[in-house]
Amino acid sequence: MCKAESRQFVPSAWFGHGKKRGRKASRAPLPPVYALMSPLSGQVVAAFSVDALTYNSTLDDWRTHDGVDIAAAAGTNVLAASAGTVLSVFQDDLLGTTVVLGHSGGYETTYANLQEQPTVQKGDKVSAGQIIGAVGTTALAESAEGPHLHFSVAKNGVSVDPEEYLNK
């Protein structure tokens, strides 16, 4: 099992760009590395899997999983992984209370299975590390896992594996 406690979410695709010795860079300068902080401390209990089906013991079926589930006690504060804007706050039929944040560079982070009343509303500006809600038990599709945060990251609308962004 992995611990989310000391990990940073850093898009690895941005590493290795820039000038090489003896050559000029032939492309426009790239933006600075975009780092995300962990939204809470805890163990990853369900990994990202969009290319292979994983067994969901709650629903007794096989399905994809577009994020990571991080175990934490109900009521544990959930933090914004980066500064951004609250794009939506809603009740998802399967993932429960959900907050979606938009960030620079085309990134979005989604926080699900929150307690019913997040601390943010659509349109709010948030800073990195700001409390946006608390871990709940609202995700009907993942209730067999116990209290946890379902955390996902998307780049330009495409789900990406948060684990790939850790410890870089």
Side-chain angles (χ1 to χ4, degrees):
M1 292 270 171
C2 301
K3 291 197 179 206
E5 183 170 39
S6 63
R7 296 188 263 184
Q8 275 193 326
F9 295 88
V10 180
S12 57
W14 288 13
F15 287 97
H17 294 289
K19 292 184 180 181
K20 293 185 178 181
R21 274 182 209 223
R23 290 196 208 162
K24 291 183 180 177
S26 61
R27 62 181 93 126
L30 292 171
V33 172
Y34 188 78
L36 300 175
M37 64 179 289
S38 181
L40 54 74
S41 295
Q43 289 188 325
V44 174
V45 293
F48 175 89
S49 180
V50 295
D51 294 329
L53 298 177
T54 60
Y55 184 71
N56 179 306
S57 58
T58 303
L59 300 175
D60 192 29
D61 70 1
W62 294 83
R63 58 185 54 227
T64 60
H65 192 247
D66 74 345
V68 294
D69 293 344
I70 305 169
T76 301
N77 287 333
V78 174
L79 311 176
S82 181
T85 302
V86 179
L87 300 179
S88 59
V89 177
F90 61 97
Q91 294 297 321
D92 184 271
D93 291 341
L94 296 177
L95 293 177
T97 305
T98 302
V99 171
V100 179
L101 303 181
H103 310 282
S104 63
Y107 287 91
E108 288 185 6
T109 52
T110 300
Y111 311 77
N113 196 33
L114 300 173
Q115 289 183 345
E116 291 189 22
Q117 297 297 320
T119 60
V120 294
Q121 298 176 5
K122 182 178 178 177
D124 286 353
K125 302 286 185 200
V126 297
S127 57
Q130 179 178 331
I131 297 170
I132 60 168
V135 172
T137 55
T138 59
L140 298 179
E142 298 182 344
S143 60
E145 292 180 31
H148 68 278
L149 172 69
H150 175 89
F151 179 66
S152 62
V153 179
K155 169 72 171 156
N156 295 325
V158 177
S159 293
V160 294
D161 184 355
E163 292 278 8
E164 290 181 8
Y165 296 16
L166 304 175
N167 295 323
K168 303 290 182 193

mmCIF file of all heavy atoms in Angstrom, residues 121-139:
data_model
loop_
_atom_site.group_PDB
_atom_site.id
_atom_site.type_symbol
_atom_site.label_atom_id
_atom_site.label_comp_id
_atom_site.label_asym_id
_atom_site.label_seq_id
_atom_site.Cartn_x
_atom_site.Cartn_y
_atom_site.Cartn_z
ATOM 1 N N GLN A 121 -18.684 26.724 -2.534
ATOM 2 C CA GLN A 121 -19.807 26.780 -3.461
ATOM 3 C C GLN A 121 -19.282 27.064 -4.857
ATOM 4 O O GLN A 121 -18.178 27.611 -5.019
ATOM 5 C CB GLN A 121 -20.768 27.897 -3.075
ATOM 6 C CG GLN A 121 -21.394 27.745 -1.716
ATOM 7 C CD GLN A 121 -22.268 28.961 -1.362
ATOM 8 O OE1 GLN A 121 -22.474 29.850 -2.172
ATOM 9 N NE2 GLN A 121 -22.779 28.963 -0.149
ATOM 10 N N LYS A 122 -20.082 26.744 -5.865
ATOM 11 C CA LYS A 122 -19.714 27.017 -7.245
ATOM 12 C C LYS A 122 -19.324 28.484 -7.393
ATOM 13 O O LYS A 122 -19.991 29.380 -6.881
ATOM 14 C CB LYS A 122 -20.885 26.699 -8.172
ATOM 15 C CG LYS A 122 -20.562 26.904 -9.629
ATOM 16 C CD LYS A 122 -21.721 26.549 -10.521
ATOM 17 C CE LYS A 122 -21.343 26.819 -11.967
ATOM 18 N NZ LYS A 122 -22.411 26.435 -12.882
ATOM 19 N N GLY A 123 -18.177 28.704 -8.063
ATOM 20 C CA GLY A 123 -17.679 30.052 -8.303
ATOM 21 C C GLY A 123 -16.671 30.551 -7.284
ATOM 22 O O GLY A 123 -15.972 31.526 -7.533
ATOM 23 N N ASP A 124 -16.565 29.890 -6.128
ATOM 24 C CA ASP A 124 -15.592 30.303 -5.110
ATOM 25 C C ASP A 124 -14.170 30.137 -5.644
ATOM 26 O O ASP A 124 -13.869 29.185 -6.359
ATOM 27 C CB ASP A 124 -15.709 29.453 -3.839
ATOM 28 C CG ASP A 124 -16.925 29.767 -2.994
ATOM 29 O OD1 ASP A 124 -17.648 30.733 -3.304
ATOM 30 O OD2 ASP A 124 -17.155 29.006 -2.020
ATOM 31 N N LYS A 125 -13.307 31.061 -5.282
ATOM 32 C CA LYS A 125 -11.868 30.939 -5.529
ATOM 33 C C LYS A 125 -11.269 30.266 -4.303
ATOM 34 O O LYS A 125 -11.605 30.625 -3.169
ATOM 35 C CB LYS A 125 -11.211 32.313 -5.739
ATOM 36 C CG LYS A 125 -11.807 33.119 -6.881
ATOM 37 C CD LYS A 125 -11.393 32.567 -8.201
ATOM 38 C CE LYS A 125 -11.895 33.466 -9.329
ATOM 39 N NZ LYS A 125 -11.958 32.810 -10.595
ATOM 40 N N VAL A 126 -10.386 29.293 -4.525
ATOM 41 C CA VAL A 126 -9.743 28.598 -3.407
ATOM 42 C C VAL A 126 -8.233 28.663 -3.562
ATOM 43 O O VAL A 126 -7.714 28.762 -4.675
ATOM 44 C CB VAL A 126 -10.199 27.125 -3.298
ATOM 45 C CG1 VAL A 126 -11.685 27.030 -3.006
ATOM 46 C CG2 VAL A 126 -9.850 26.334 -4.539
ATOM 47 N N SER A 127 -7.551 28.586 -2.447
ATOM 48 C CA SER A 127 -6.088 28.533 -2.471
ATOM 49 C C SER A 127 -5.643 27.110 -2.183
ATOM 50 O O SER A 127 -6.396 26.311 -1.623
ATOM 51 C CB SER A 127 -5.514 29.506 -1.435
ATOM 52 O OG SER A 127 -6.018 29.210 -0.149
ATOM 53 N N ALA A 128 -4.424 26.793 -2.567
ATOM 54 C CA ALA A 128 -3.875 25.468 -2.285
ATOM 55 C C ALA A 128 -3.868 25.247 -0.784
ATOM 56 O O ALA A 128 -3.456 26.114 -0.019
ATOM 57 C CB ALA A 128 -2.459 25.349 -2.844
ATOM 58 N N GLY A 129 -4.367 24.101 -0.349
ATOM 59 C CA GLY A 129 -4.399 23.781 1.074
ATOM 60 C C GLY A 129 -5.636 24.263 1.799
ATOM 61 O O GLY A 129 -5.800 23.972 2.980
ATOM 62 N N GLN A 130 -6.517 24.975 1.116
ATOM 63 C CA GLN A 130 -7.751 25.448 1.742
ATOM 64 C C GLN A 130 -8.701 24.277 1.949
ATOM 65 O O GLN A 130 -8.837 23.406 1.088
ATOM 66 C CB GLN A 130 -8.414 26.505 0.863
ATOM 67 C CG GLN A 130 -9.717 27.048 1.422
ATOM 68 C CD GLN A 130 -10.314 28.134 0.539
ATOM 69 O OE1 GLN A 130 -9.596 28.849 -0.161
ATOM 70 N NE2 GLN A 130 -11.632 28.262 0.570
ATOM 71 N N ILE A 131 -9.374 24.241 3.085
ATOM 72 C CA ILE A 131 -10.358 23.194 3.359
ATOM 73 C C ILE A 131 -11.553 23.400 2.438
ATOM 74 O O ILE A 131 -12.128 24.486 2.380
ATOM 75 C CB ILE A 131 -10.805 23.213 4.837
ATOM 76 C CG1 ILE A 131 -9.615 22.907 5.752
ATOM 77 C CG2 ILE A 131 -11.943 22.214 5.068
ATOM 78 C CD1 ILE A 131 -9.908 23.136 7.231
ATOM 79 N N ILE A 132 -11.915 22.333 1.701
ATOM 80 C CA ILE A 132 -13.068 22.428 0.799
ATOM 81 C C ILE A 132 -14.215 21.521 1.247
ATOM 82 O O ILE A 132 -15.309 21.595 0.697
ATOM 83 C CB ILE A 132 -12.670 22.097 -0.660
ATOM 84 C CG1 ILE A 132 -12.119 20.681 -0.768
ATOM 85 C CG2 ILE A 132 -11.681 23.123 -1.191
ATOM 86 C CD1 ILE A 132 -11.990 20.184 -2.195
ATOM 87 N N GLY A 133 -13.962 20.676 2.221
ATOM 88 C CA GLY A 133 -14.977 19.760 2.725
ATOM 89 C C GLY A 133 -14.358 18.766 3.683
ATOM 90 O O GLY A 133 -13.230 18.976 4.151
ATOM 91 N N ALA A 134 -15.075 17.704 3.950
ATOM 92 C CA ALA A 134 -14.590 16.660 4.857
ATOM 93 C C ALA A 134 -14.998 15.299 4.304
ATOM 94 O O ALA A 134 -16.012 15.168 3.607
ATOM 95 C CB ALA A 134 -15.168 16.860 6.255
ATOM 96 N N VAL A 135 -14.187 14.293 4.621
ATOM 97 C CA VAL A 135 -14.476 12.930 4.187
ATOM 98 C C VAL A 135 -15.827 12.503 4.746
ATOM 99 O O VAL A 135 -16.137 12.745 5.913
ATOM 100 C CB VAL A 135 -13.377 11.953 4.660
ATOM 101 C CG1 VAL A 135 -13.752 10.504 4.378
ATOM 102 C CG2 VAL A 135 -12.047 12.301 4.012
ATOM 103 N N GLY A 136 -16.618 11.879 3.881
ATOM 104 C CA GLY A 136 -17.927 11.401 4.296
ATOM 105 C C GLY A 136 -18.115 9.947 3.947
ATOM 106 O O GLY A 136 -17.147 9.208 3.717
ATOM 107 N N THR A 137 -19.378 9.552 3.896
ATOM 108 C CA THR A 137 -19.752 8.194 3.510
ATOM 109 C C THR A 137 -20.930 8.274 2.550
ATOM 110 O O THR A 137 -21.881 7.500 2.645
ATOM 111 C CB THR A 137 -20.110 7.346 4.745
ATOM 112 O OG1 THR A 137 -21.135 8.031 5.484
ATOM 113 C CG2 THR A 137 -18.902 7.112 5.632
ATOM 114 N N THR A 138 -20.858 9.211 1.610
ATOM 115 C CA THR A 138 -21.971 9.462 0.698
ATOM 116 C C THR A 138 -21.876 8.704 -0.620
ATOM 117 O O THR A 138 -22.820 8.723 -1.402
ATOM 118 C CB THR A 138 -22.086 10.972 0.408
ATOM 119 O OG1 THR A 138 -20.857 11.435 -0.168
ATOM 120 C CG2 THR A 138 -22.394 11.768 1.673
ATOM 121 N N ALA A 139 -20.741 8.045 -0.898
ATOM 122 C CA ALA A 139 -20.548 7.334 -2.167
ATOM 123 C C ALA A 139 -21.187 5.954 -2.100
ATOM 124 O O ALA A 139 -20.595 5.005 -1.588
ATOM 125 C CB ALA A 139 -19.070 7.219 -2.510
#
